[in-house]
Amino acid sequence: MANPLSNKKRIRGWKRRIKQIDQWKKHNMHLDLEELRSAQRDYVKLWIDPFYRLNRRNPPVWYSRLLLEAMIEVYHSWSRQMASLNEPFYLRIWFYHPNFIQSQIVVAFRDALHFYDNTFETGGESQVFPWDLYGTVRGLEDFIWEPAAEAEPYCLPGQPRSQAAQVWLGRIQ
């Protein structure tokens, strides 16, 4: 019997999984500005089945590239919407590696502008962004990627704490 926590478990219906990316992108392309004005911050995670469940698994690299491309399009859409408000804002892609499915897009402004400033510790080590895996993604070269580390790292089951995910905070200048 296969290990249920293994990343190698067979997944059927890849065409349907690709359509899920399009549905995720379409659903998150437009910020709910009324909700954002009341909460002053918002985020969107990669809630895509079967990867984002109680036991999270990383998708294959080719699928992660499609997800990252969709995240970049959502980022650009949010950036345009926030720029139209003519207020300073915090907008970043939090890119987790190797736990890609933890990645998310975060936005904050007004009183919550500095809410996320202490979420991560600065990545003092000389870390290199995984360009070899994701370098072909359209629009990725436009981003400035800053290494960071989680204060309390999240590890996948069976993964030692020393191999916790690296976090990259991506933004466009």
Side-chain angles (χ1 to χ4, degrees), residues 83-97:
S84 70
L85 296 176
N86 294 323
E87 293 186 47
F89 60 91
Y90 174 97
L91 178 62
R92 301 281 190 278
I93 292 179
W94 292 356
F95 178 89
Y96 285 73
H97 180 72

Side-chain angles (χ1 to χ4, degrees), residues 2-140:
N3 180 0
L5 301 177
S6 170
N7 200 22
K8 302 296 182 190
K9 188 173 177 185
R10 184 178 172 122
I11 297 173
R12 298 174 191 268
W14 282 110
K15 289 180 183 178
R16 186 173 58 233
R17 303 293 172 225
I18 292 170
K19 286 180 185 176
Q20 283 179 323
I21 295 173
D22 293 333
Q23 292 168 351
W24 177 88
K25 182 174 71 173
K26 185 177 177 183
H27 182 263
N28 295 301
M29 195 62 103
H30 299 287
L31 265 172
D32 185 356
L33 293 176
E34 299 223 359
E35 177 66 28
L36 181 64
R37 284 187 179 107
S38 67
Q40 299 181 3
R41 58 190 166 101
D42 200 2
Y43 66 93
V44 62
K45 293 184 178 184
L46 298 173
W47 287 310
I48 295 187
D49 194 54
F51 306 106
Y52 199 90
R53 288 185 178 172
L54 186 58
N55 291 326
R56 294 187 183 117
R57 300 176 11 193
N58 281 318
V61 175
W62 67 269
Y63 192 78
S64 296
R65 288 182 191 131
L66 295 175
L67 282 168
L68 185 56
E69 193 170 310
M71 287 177 72
I72 289 172
E73 289 180 41
V74 170
Y75 177 96
H76 285 302
S77 175
W78 285 19
S79 179
R80 285 189 298 274
Q81 292 174 54
M82 292 303 294
S84 70
L85 296 176
N86 294 323
E87 293 186 47
F89 60 91
Y90 174 97
L91 178 62
R92 301 281 190 278
I93 292 179
W94 292 356
F95 178 89
Y96 285 73
H97 180 72
N99 300 339
F100 180 80
I101 204 64
Q102 294 292 114
S103 300
Q104 55 187 297
I105 305 169
V106 177
V107 65
F109 78 129
R110 293 186 181 159
D111 293 338
L113 181 62
H114 300 289
F115 183 81
Y116 295 110
D117 288 350
N118 296 321
T119 303
F120 299 105
E121 298 171 357
T122 58
E125 304 169 13
S126 60
Q127 300 174 6
V128 179
F129 187 82
W131 291 106
D132 55 330
L133 295 176
Y134 300 101
T136 60
V137 174
R138 191 172 14 126
L140 190 65

